[in-house]
Amino acid sequence: MIRLEAVTKSFASKRGAAPALHGIDLSVGRGEIYGIIGASGAGKSTLVRLINLLERPSSGEVVIDGARVTDAKGTALSDLRRSIGMVFQHFNLLSGRTVAKNVAYPLELAGRLSRAEITAKVAALLERVGLADHAQKYPRELSGGQKQRVGIARALANDPKVLLCDEATSALDPQTTGQVLDLLQEINRELGVTIVMITHEMEVIRRACDRVAVLEKGRVVEEGPVTTVFLHPAHPVTRALVREAEGDNAVPATQATGQLLRLTLTGATAHQPILGRIARDFGSDFAILGGRVGHIRTTPYAQFAVALSGGNGGAAVAALRASGVTVELIGGGPTVAEHGAERGAEHGGERERHLHVV
Amino acid sequence: MAQSVAQNMAANAKGISMWFDRINWADIGTALGQTLTMVGISLSLTILIGLPLGILLFVTGKGQPFARPIGYGALSFVLNIIRSVPFIILLIVLMPVTVLITGTSLGIRGVIFPLVVGTSPFFARLVETALREVDRGVIEASLAMGASPAQTIFRAVLPEALPGLIAAVTVTAIVLVDYTAMSGAIGGGGLGDLAIRYGYHRFQTEIMLICVVVLILLVQLIQASGNSLVTRFTRR
């Protein structure tokens, strides 16, 4: 759906060209909710603006729906932008227009519908975002969450294939953030709109995204399904972002004996009594040192740091893996270390990662 | 005691009424009419010329989608030159051109041209400032929705800047009232002309006083109407 090929972007500054993005390769699939996360200044706002060409790449190509659009101008550019809705952190509504007129604005610009058709379409869009009762209000009379709903209705007006969200929830309180993320997921599900979401909050990624790219100083340092990146962050920046969302999960210096393992259970596995069963079967004991439990979009997950001791440790680890648990060695004896080396190969479609402590 | 106060007041009232007898109210009415005509015509022309110039300054200015540093610099330089010449000097310097255009440098006809030249650069600057006040995010959102730059200026930026533009027109109208009074000095007509001819040259201070009071009222009225319009169109 969206492909960025070796895209770079530099801005002219007094001390010469200031590079913002270095050789970005990204591919967003149709119907996906794709997250781009990074600290402020990482280049994510620039990156998302390359997709609708609010920023032109210094080099590289932007490909949308199989067509190279990097140099689009005039009508082609307007058409492209109409097929890509955009939602902003600070809403960017027209303060002099009512809610209904704000949503009508992109339709007036396109000039394809009659006045009556525009009125009908605006009503339907406001209905979808739950603002039918506020059509005649001005933006200043609305709460932040309501303003963002207007922003979303406006972005959907021209039936776009793609929705770009630039920190769409960053100006909202946690509860409103949840509602707006729910609305975006509903739109993605029901209209099949591909969504690219920029954020600095891992929490937003965890709740709403299918895949994620982590941006650091203008480079993609990690990319993959949210389940992988969130549960097995490989890059220090990603780990810091996960830690920020989850609290400190680092395993403390411990007196516990045995091998320190990190067990990750996702999907149906997370709901099964695997740990207890295996402890019984192999006469091993688990001391739980840390952990987190929750959902990534709709996928349940549980992740524990445990100290495994006694019994047949090696067989217990093998049995855990056989039950669908991802086992990583984070410290301890040699038996498990051997298994740790094989881990990458047996973990389905995930690419190989190095062992690390969250 | 009370009686003497009453007598005093009666005497004063008689003095004031005598003082008013010397005023030709018809002259003041005519002068007010001339002032209003001059302000009205030159304000319309100033908006007609200054608004496009202000938009041009805005779109060619730094950080805008159409930034043209050289064009902006040149326009800015010319407007600044005009703005630095004191209006009374501008009136005199422009006389030959005024005669060329309107056939006379006297009366209302003779004064409109220098008034418009004097206030257009000022108004253009105010327009530029008002447009810069519009949130950049609104411009970006409009472009992101597929609007052309022209659509963005005329359908998003100008409507969003409306309160600021109304304030700019208000300030300019008041400056024009001031300038028309000054143009009285070179025979432009209006309240300023009357104040100088009777009040200064004929030592009829009361006429000057009345003219000033009328001008004060006029300025207050313009400012109050401007303010109420600004309030009405502010949705932020």
Side-chain angles (χ1 to χ4, degrees):
Chain A
M1 185 75 220
I2 302 168
R3 236 171 43 241
L4 300 181
E5 296 171 353
V7 164
T8 68
K9 175 71 184 177
S10 308
F11 291 102
S13 79
K14 285 193 177 120
R15 284 170 297 165
L21 295 172
H22 313 265
I24 301 279
D25 285 291
L26 268 189
S27 175
V28 179
R30 188 180 299 276
E32 209 175 20
I33 302 187
Y34 194 94
I36 298 172
I37 189 169
S40 53
K44 49 193 197 302
S45 276
T46 307
L47 180 56
V48 77
R49 278 163 177 70
L50 289 170
I51 297 172
N52 61 359
L53 300 171
L54 283 175
E55 299 283 359
R56 299 278 178 169
S58 304
S59 69
E61 300 292 345
V62 181
V63 180
I64 308 243
D65 237 355
R68 182 181 161 278
V69 298
T70 322
D71 303 317
K73 283 191 177 60
T75 327
L77 181 60
S78 287
D79 287 346
L80 173 78
R81 286 178 176 169
R82 258 175 227 134
S83 71
I84 303 176
M86 192 164 184
V87 179
F88 302 87
Q89 178 175 8
H90 297 296
F91 325 123
N92 298 350
L93 303 176
L94 294 161
S95 64
R97 284 173 169 245
T98 60
V99 166
K101 291 275 178 204
N102 263 286
V103 179
Y105 182 72
L107 297 169
E108 290 169 13
L109 292 175
R112 286 178 193 147
L113 300 181
S114 71
R115 205 166 275 275
E117 287 169 320
I118 289 178
T119 311
K121 182 142 200 195
V122 167
L125 286 161
L126 289 179
E127 189 70 46
R128 170 166 285 283
V129 300
L131 286 178
D133 297 339
H134 301 280
Q136 296 314 315
K137 287 189 180 167
Y138 285 92
R140 67 155 177 210
E141 301 170 86
L142 303 179
S143 69
Q146 289 170 327
K147 282 183 200 169
Q148 197 55 293
R149 283 165 188 275
V150 180
I152 292 169
R154 180 178 72 174
L156 291 176
N158 279 315
D159 303 316
K161 295 172 288 186
V162 178
L163 200 56
L164 307 177
C165 302
D166 182 18
E167 298 271 13
T169 57
S170 300
L172 305 175
D173 61 57
Q175 198 195 343
T176 317
T177 294
Q179 291 165 356
V180 168
L181 290 179
D182 288 348
L183 175 64
L184 289 171
Q185 290 180 82
E186 183 187 309
I187 286 162
N188 166 260
R189 203 166 51 239
E190 292 175 14
L191 305 178
V193 177
T194 306
I195 298 181
V196 178
M197 217 179 256
I198 296 290
T199 183
H200 63 273
E201 295 169 304
M202 197 45 129
E203 181 61 14
V204 168
I205 300 285
R206 182 183 69 74
R207 288 188 62 147
C209 297
D210 299 311
R211 284 203 300 144
V212 62
V214 182
L215 206 60
E216 159 77 354
K217 295 193 178 122
R219 288 190 170 83
V220 174
V221 295
E222 192 164 359
E223 203 260 352
V226 176
T227 40
T228 311
V229 175
F230 186 72
L231 294 172
H232 310 282
H235 193 275
V237 171
T238 319
R239 272 180 246 160
L241 287 165
V242 172
R243 224 175 4 248
E244 215 170 86
E246 291 282 303
D248 198 347
N249 274 305
V251 178
T254 172
Q255 307 290 310
T257 52
Q259 285 110 15
L260 294 187
L261 303 176
R262 198 172 59 181
L263 311 177
T264 309
L265 300 78
T266 54
T269 315
H271 289 161
Q272 284 164 20
I274 295 170
L275 261 58
R277 176 168 55 78
I278 287 171
R280 274 195 311 279
D281 290 356
F282 297 92
S284 299
D285 287 318
F286 293 101
I288 295 179
L289 306 172
R292 47 179 172 152
V293 180
H295 286 81
I296 294 167
R297 280 203 81 176
T298 51
T299 309
Y301 72 88
Q303 188 171 53
F304 305 108
V306 300
L308 176 71
S309 59
N312 189 345
V317 167
L320 283 169
R321 288 194 170 131
S323 308
V325 178
T326 307
V327 183
E328 292 160 281
L329 174 77
I330 49 180
T335 346
V336 186
E338 285 163 26
H339 288 276
E342 302 160 10
R343 183 196 51 85
E346 60 191 78
H347 195 75
E350 289 182 19
R351 58 193 165 92
E352 190 145 2
R353 284 159 188 284
H354 296 290
L355 294 179
H356 58 270
V357 181
V358 172
Chain B
M1 180 72 175
Q3 207 180 3
S4 77
V5 170
Q7 277 172 352
N8 244 334
M9 280 176 69
N12 279 347
K14 201 179 170 203
I16 289 167
S17 79
M18 272 176 61
W19 197 71
F20 270 102
D21 286 345
R22 288 170 59 193
I23 295 168
N24 186 341
W25 289 101
D27 279 355
I28 290 175
T30 312
L32 177 62
Q34 289 172 337
T35 293
L36 291 177
T37 311
M38 284 188 283
V39 171
I41 296 174
S42 38
L43 183 62
S44 313
L45 291 173
T46 297
I47 294 173
L48 219 60
I49 293 164
L51 187 63
L53 283 176
I55 295 172
L56 202 59
L57 280 172
F58 172 72
V59 296
T60 57
K62 207 179 157 199
Q64 297 305 327
F66 279 95
R68 295 283 182 282
I70 295 171
Y72 178 83
L75 182 57
S76 189
F77 184 69
V78 172
L79 295 184
N80 281 346
I81 288 179
I82 301 175
R83 289 211 301 147
S84 18
V85 179
F87 183 64
I88 191 91
I89 310 279
L90 198 67
L91 275 172
I92 296 163
V93 170
L94 285 177
M95 264 184 195
V97 191
T98 310
V99 173
L100 215 65
I101 293 175
T102 58
T104 174
S105 67
L106 295 174
I108 293 179
R109 270 174 50 150
V111 92
I112 299 285
F113 176 68
L115 280 175
V116 173
V117 172
T119 48
S120 291
F122 172 72
F123 182 66
R125 280 294 179 197
L126 294 181
V127 169
E128 183 195 8
T129 312
L131 299 185
R132 274 178 198 270
E133 288 292 308
V134 174
D135 187 357
R136 281 191 61 89
V138 166
I139 298 174
E140 188 177 43
S142 176
L143 292 172
M145 284 184 270
S148 67
Q151 281 178 317
T152 299
I153 298 293
F154 289 104
R155 307 185 76 150
V157 178
L158 284 175
E160 284 294 287
L162 191 58
L165 294 176
I166 295 170
V169 171
T170 310
V171 173
T172 307
I174 289 169
V175 167
L176 274 169
V177 171
D178 183 17
Y179 282 6
T180 54
M182 220 186 285
S183 67
I186 62 154
L191 286 166
D193 184 32
L194 192 69
I196 289 170
R197 274 193 290 131
Y198 285 79
Y200 182 65
H201 295 305
R202 292 194 192 175
F203 300 100
Q204 282 182 273
T205 315
E206 67 278 7
I207 299 249
M208 186 146 71
L209 218 62
I210 297 280
C211 287
V212 169
V213 168
V214 173
L215 286 171
I216 289 173
L217 291 177
L218 185 59
V219 167
Q220 300 287 355
L221 187 73
I222 293 172
Q223 188 65 58
S225 331
N227 286 351
S228 88
L229 282 174
V230 169
T231 311
R232 209 184 130 199
F233 286 103
T234 302
R235 310 275 190 204
R236 261 190 274 190

